[in-house]
Amino acid sequence: MPRLSGKHCVVTGAARGIGAAIARAFVTEGAQVILTDIDAATGEATAAALGMPFHRLDVASEADWQAFAEICPETDVVVNNAGITGFEAGPVPHDPETAALADWRAVMAVNLDGVFLGCRYAIGAMKGRGTGSIINNSSHSGLVGIPAAAAYAASKAGVRNHSKSVALYCAGQGWAIRCNSIHPGAILTPMWEAVIGDGPDREARMARLVADTPLRRFGAPEEVAALAVLLASDEAGYITGAELTIDGGLLAGTAARP
Ligand code: NAP
C-alpha cells in the first residue's frame, strides 16, 4: 500500500535538487503533487517527467502565494523546500562584519519570508479539514553558527523556530496540522556544483568537503526525500514541532562545519 495514497501535496523549489527528489518520492508513494519553482523551464520538465502539474511560484512573493491559493485552495502536505545560499552569483562576503544589508535581505526574503508565506498558505489550505503536514527544509546551518554564511545560517535558524511556532499554533487551535523542520548536512545537489567544480581533482575536493562528516560522504537528495515521506505520511501522526537532522552524524559531535 503506497504510504501517501490520496494525499494532495505541494513542493516548492521542486525543479531540481532535494525538492525534485521529494516530489519524485511522493509520486512513487501514490501522492498527487503540484511542483512549484521560480525556474519554470526546468520545473515544467521535472513535473512532466513525473506526469504531475507545475506552477511557477516565487516563494518570496506574497502575490504569487495568493494566486496559488486560488488554484489550490486545499491540500494535505506542503513542503517549504526552496532556498538559496546567497552565493549563486559568485562569492560575496556574508560574514557578520562585512555582509551588505541587501545581500542579507535577499537571503532572508527567500529562505525565511518564503517559509513564513508557505506556512501561512498551508494553514489556510489545511484548516478546513483540520489535518495536514507542513515540512520546512532548514539546514544543519540552522543549528550552529556559520561565520562565512551568516545570513544563510540566521535564515535557517529562523525556519527552525518558526516551524515550532506553527506546530504549537495549529495544535492550540485543535487541528491535527503538524509542522516539522528538517536539517540536512551536505547533500549533493546543483547547489554544491559551483563549490565543487569539475576537473580531475573533483573527487578529492568532495572528500575534503565532507572530511568532518562522520559518515565521510555527501548525502543523496533521495535520502532527504525518504525523511520527507515519513513526515508527510500518517505514520508520523504524533511528530510535530520536531527538528530532524539528516547529516551523516555531523551534529552528533563537535565538528561543526566552519
Ligand atoms: P538547489 O539545487 O539550488 O534547488 C533549489 C531550487 O529552488 C532551484 O530550482 C531554485 O531555482 C529554486 N528557487 C530558488 N529561489 C526560489 C524562489 N524564490 N522561489 C521558488 N523557488 C526558488 O538546492 P537544494 O540543494 O536542492 O536545496 C533545497 C533546500 O534544501 C534549500 O532550502 C537548501 O537551503 C536546503 N539545504 C540544502 C543542503 C544541501 O547540501 N544541498 C543542505 C541543507 C539544506 P533556481 O535554480 O532558478 O535558483
Side-chain angles (χ1 to χ4, degrees):
M1 176 74 177
R3 296 157 78 195
L4 303 181
S5 195
K7 290 199 188 293
H8 293 263
C9 308
V10 177
V11 183
T12 71
R16 65 180 205 185
I18 294 171
I22 290 173
R24 210 173 296 120
F26 279 12
V27 171
T28 301
E29 291 293 345
Q32 292 292 314
V33 182
I34 302 180
L35 288 82
T36 73
D37 202 285
I38 201 168
D39 176 352
T42 312
E44 293 276 10
T46 305
L50 294 174
M52 292 289 150
F54 172 80
H55 187 90
R56 189 194 175 281
L57 185 150
D58 174 354
V59 293
S61 164
E62 187 169 26
D64 278 12
W65 278 109
Q66 280 164 349
F68 185 71
E70 282 175 27
I71 65 151
C72 186
E74 286 191 3
T75 195
D76 301 299
V77 178
V78 172
V79 184
N80 291 306
N81 164 75
I84 60 171
T85 59
F87 303 117
E88 284 75 11
V92 272
H94 268 247
D95 63 83
E97 183 182 8
T98 61
L101 182 58
D103 292 335
W104 171 275
R105 283 183 172 158
V107 171
M108 292 295 164
V110 177
N111 294 3
L112 192 49
D113 296 0
V115 168
F116 158 67
L117 291 169
C119 287
R120 202 175 67 177
Y121 157 75
I123 292 168
M126 293 172 183
K127 70 179 185 181
R129 277 179 285 177
T131 182
S133 173
I134 305 169
I135 301 164
N136 293 331
N137 201 351
S138 175
S139 170
H140 105 281
S141 309
L143 299 167
V144 295
I146 310 282
Y152 182 76
S155 71
K156 293 300 189 178
V159 170
R160 167 189 176 271
N161 203 275
H162 191 61
S163 302
K164 294 180 194 301
S165 295
V166 170
L168 294 175
Y169 175 79
C170 290
Q173 301 298 311
W175 301 327
I177 298 174
R178 301 179 291 103
C179 182
N180 297 287
S181 58
I182 57 178
H183 299 262
I187 309 298
L188 195 55
T189 70
M191 191 181 253
W192 276 98
E193 287 303 330
V195 180
I196 297 171
D198 287 326
D201 52 352
R202 178 180 162 90
E203 292 298 322
R205 275 197 300 274
M206 285 176 63
R208 274 200 300 278
L209 285 165
V210 293
D212 57 357
T213 298
L215 290 185
R216 292 193 174 269
R217 66 169 175 87
F218 278 84
E222 291 72 23
E223 292 174 308
V224 181
L227 180 57
V229 167
L230 170 66
L231 290 173
S233 76
D234 295 339
E235 298 160 53
Y238 202 51
I239 304 178
T240 195
E243 53 193 73
L244 298 162
T245 56
I246 175 160
D247 64 357
L250 185 60
L251 289 177
T254 54
R257 193 179 301 278

